[in-house]
Amino acid sequence: MEIDYPLVLTGFGLRNMKKVQIKTVKGFNEVLPPESFRWRQVEDKFRNLLEGYGFAELRLALLEPTELFARSIGGETDIVEKEMYTFIDRSERSLTLRPEGTASVVRAYNQYSLGKSNEINKLYYIGPMFRYERPQKGRYRQFHQLGAEVFGEESFYQDAETLVMLAQLFHTLSIKGVELHLNSLGCEACRPLFRDQLKDYLSRHQAGLCDDCRRRGAENPLRALDCKNPQCREAVAEAPSIGDALCCDCRQHFAGLCALLADAGIAFQINPRLVRGLDYYTRTTFEFLAGDLGAQNAVAAGGRYDRLVEELGGQPTPAFGFAVGFERLMMLVGSEVAPLTLPVAALLPLSEEALRRLFPLHVELNRRAQMTTLSFQHKSLKSQLKKADKDGVRYALIVGPDELAQDEALCRNMRTKEQTKLPFAEIGEFLWERYHEH
Ligand code: ATP
Ligand code: MG
């Protein structure tokens, strides 16, 4: 295989290149300050909640062998058929930027034998995912997920615990109006029968289906049930319902979960069309939908996948997991998260000597918390005060030649404009107290 390295990658090319502004790849979502601070606050709440429930963090590779996704998510799914960033590397291996987290967590669970050390394993991850989709509101090509997986527990109590925990996450973030939609996709015993019934139905309604659903009909008929195409929606309106096809065990599992959720006061709707776009689900599948998000209204989704660990080469291990779309979650959070903390004071040196004297104080004070700003440029008092005002600090500590000689600063209350003298030795304590007033 030949790879052409364009000239711009060499030093010669770079030096001779015209001045151009390089931008991100289309649809790759980046998070800038102050939004990144809000993300961190939400991320911390997610971590605290999950760690409270005994989850531990996994930090996983972003790039995986393509086969991992083809085998887990399924060949006839939107993700694998048309959304993956796949390329051949220099050793001619096919690699893919991860489009989701579950496959990688299961790969890691098997690769590091995580199930051996603990009977029940609870793992979470936070990070970017990549899908080649049409960028629009709430849909990006690089987006971020907060996700978690539980291995080793088949009881519906596990499904309920995880769903209650997710509902608590929304509650903690003061997000209202999120609806839980729930379904069961059955197991190896009952799903094949349902698939055959559905296949039969679809073959009789071919004319009404979109090209994708018609083509996938034989291999992956369940996909037609959640195809977004209005034409397909109409065509499957009368299709058989999975709820009627569940075996006794699956029926009990689902009923058990529904009863626990009702007891916990969590409202939900059973949606027999909710099959999810990935092949690995068994039994419970769910989505949390938020009306406020518009067309891309799923803020979190997941379910049970009791066969996947084994299908990817591990021991038979039941599992349950979910992923929250971080961008969509942030759209719902609004301004509810705590406001950013501001520095307490601006240190305003009026000479090089004063700057020299204030610098050690500045670095010492900021070791504990963001306490001070310090201008490294010689600017007039007027412009430094203007900047301090803009930065929203509560005090300005002005140090000119007179103050230097007296080992003190002129402390100006930015709100009342009142000015008092403050010895250098007392600055630390003075600011530390003011810092805690907020
Ligand atoms: P959708 O129906 O919105 O396409 P999906 O079924 O493809 O979602 P999952 O693979 O289950 O989504 O991913 C879980 C969550 O990640 C979704 O509920 C959504 O909040 C978020 N998500 C998925 N794809 C994107 C994307 N391209 N951009 C932003 N967020 C996304
Ligand atoms: Mg999708």
Side-chain angles (χ1 to χ4, degrees):
M1 185 192 50
E2 288 246 325
I3 301 177
D4 272 336
Y5 296 107
L7 199 60
V8 290
L9 286 180
T10 68
F12 174 80
L14 272 182
R15 271 195 299 280
N16 287 284
M17 222 162 52
K18 262 200 303 185
K19 206 172 162 190
V20 284
Q21 209 186 3
I22 300 174
K23 298 201 170 138
T24 45
V25 177
K26 183 179 171 194
F28 275 54
N29 189 42
E30 295 179 304
V31 187
L32 311 180
E35 186 63 5
S36 52
F37 287 96
R38 296 175 64 242
W39 276 53
R40 238 259 318 278
Q41 290 176 337
V42 170
E43 196 179 306
D44 286 347
K45 289 193 172 158
F46 177 81
R47 286 177 190 280
N48 288 341
L49 179 70
L50 269 89
E51 288 173 10
Y53 274 92
F55 285 79
E57 186 180 13
L58 264 185
R59 300 201 182 196
L60 295 165
L62 297 190
L63 203 58
E64 298 274 10
T66 303
E67 195 196 351
L68 174 67
F69 304 114
R71 277 182 47 189
S72 56
I73 299 171
E76 271 92 27
T77 57
D78 277 354
I79 294 180
V80 173
E81 273 186 350
K82 48 193 180 195
E83 294 175 1
M84 295 205 305
Y85 277 92
T86 297
F87 65 97
I88 306 292
D89 80 352
R90 293 172 197 238
S91 321
E92 300 191 30
R93 279 173 307 202
S94 178
L95 302 179
T96 295
L97 281 174
R98 62 181 192 189
E100 59 112 44
T102 303
S104 300
V105 178
V106 173
R107 194 257 313 129
Y109 181 83
N110 288 340
Q111 180 174 344
Y112 306 111
S113 306
L114 298 178
K116 278 206 182 123
S117 44
N118 257 320
E119 235 168 77
I120 300 175
N121 262 277
K122 295 175 152 188
L123 301 162
Y124 77 89
Y125 59 87
I126 299 174
M129 305 294 159
F130 305 86
R131 295 185 196 176
Y132 192 82
E133 302 195 77
R134 193 169 69 77
Q136 54 198 287
K137 184 181 171 226
R139 198 180 288 296
Y140 313 93
R141 291 180 173 176
Q142 173 173 333
F143 61 101
H144 300 80
Q145 285 184 341
L146 308 148
E149 320 288 345
V150 187
F151 296 99
E153 181 57 73
E154 68 181 338
S155 164
F156 55 79
Y157 276 86
Q158 187 61 68
D159 308 34
E161 184 193 64
T162 315
L163 289 170
V164 169
M165 182 181 75
L166 261 176
Q168 287 173 347
L169 177 71
F170 298 127
H171 182 78
T172 307
L173 295 170
S174 307
I175 295 174
K176 297 196 178 72
V178 181
E179 280 177 14
L180 172 58
H181 285 221
L182 210 56
N183 192 22
S184 173
L185 295 183
C187 65
E188 290 167 286
C190 51
R191 181 138 47 137
L193 298 175
F194 174 70
R195 265 187 61 166
D196 287 347
Q197 280 177 16
L198 187 61
K199 228 154 78 178
D200 191 48
Y201 174 90
L202 293 177
S203 67
R204 284 184 279 111
H205 294 79
Q206 285 271 320
L209 299 176
C210 72
D211 290 348
D212 276 350
C213 289
R214 210 174 300 158
R215 185 170 45 79
R216 289 169 181 162
E219 273 303 315
N220 200 348
L222 267 70
R223 288 293 285 129
L225 292 181
D226 86 337
C227 180
K228 306 272 184 320
N229 193 317
Q231 183 193 341
C232 293
R233 293 205 161 190
E234 207 170 299
V236 300
E238 303 288 314
S241 174
I242 182 113
D244 301 330
L246 294 181
C247 65
C248 190
D249 285 352
C250 287
R251 209 176 280 262
Q252 277 177 7
H253 195 275
F254 194 49
L257 169 62
C258 293
L260 285 178
L261 290 174
D263 285 353
I266 292 178
F268 60 89
Q269 288 178 37
I270 296 176
N271 176 358
R273 296 271 179 276
L274 183 68
V275 298
R276 315 276 306 109
L278 306 93
D279 277 358
Y280 49 62
Y281 288 111
T282 50
R283 292 192 167 166
T284 314
T285 56
F286 70 89
E287 277 182 355
F288 279 94
L289 303 180
D292 291 353
L293 289 176
Q296 273 63 53
N297 62 350
V299 60
R304 182 163 276 287
Y305 51 94
D306 290 341
R307 306 269 312 124
L308 185 60
V309 177
E310 195 180 355
E311 278 166 14
L312 290 178
Q315 297 297 318
T317 310
F320 187 92
F322 68 84
V324 182
F326 212 148
E327 281 81 359
R328 295 185 198 178
L329 185 69
M330 292 311 290
M331 287 178 196
L332 297 172
V333 166
S335 53
E336 288 293 330
V337 286
L340 302 179
T341 54
L342 296 169
V344 185
L347 304 179
L348 310 188
L350 300 182
S351 67
E352 174 67 31
E353 222 189 329
L355 172 59
R356 196 65 188 253
R357 183 78 167 82
L358 287 174
F359 184 76
L361 185 69
H362 170 68
V363 290
E364 185 55 32
L365 285 170
N366 285 284
R367 205 156 65 143
R368 291 200 277 187
Q370 197 198 7
M371 303 279 278
T372 55
T373 59
L374 174 63
S375 165
F376 301 151
Q377 305 290 333
H378 294 294
K379 296 230 172 88
S380 69
L381 178 60
K382 196 173 156 207
S383 79
Q384 290 201 54
L385 277 172
K386 213 165 135 189
K387 170 90 170 39
D389 202 36
K390 202 170 134 214
D391 288 347
V393 297
R394 282 178 280 155
Y395 297 91
L397 303 186
I398 304 157
V399 179
D402 292 350
E403 287 77 20
L404 257 188
Q406 302 293 320
D407 250 6
E408 63 187 21
L410 195 61
C411 176
R412 179 184 172 94
N413 181 318
M414 295 299 284
R415 196 172 46 82
T416 62
K417 310 279 187 286
E418 195 186 331
Q419 303 198 140
T420 49
K421 289 177 176 170
L422 185 64
F424 279 150
E426 292 172 22
I427 290 180
E429 200 179 329
F430 175 83
L431 294 183
W432 192 238
E433 275 171 18
R434 299 303 177 284
Y435 176 79
H436 290 287
E437 275 171 8
H438 251 301

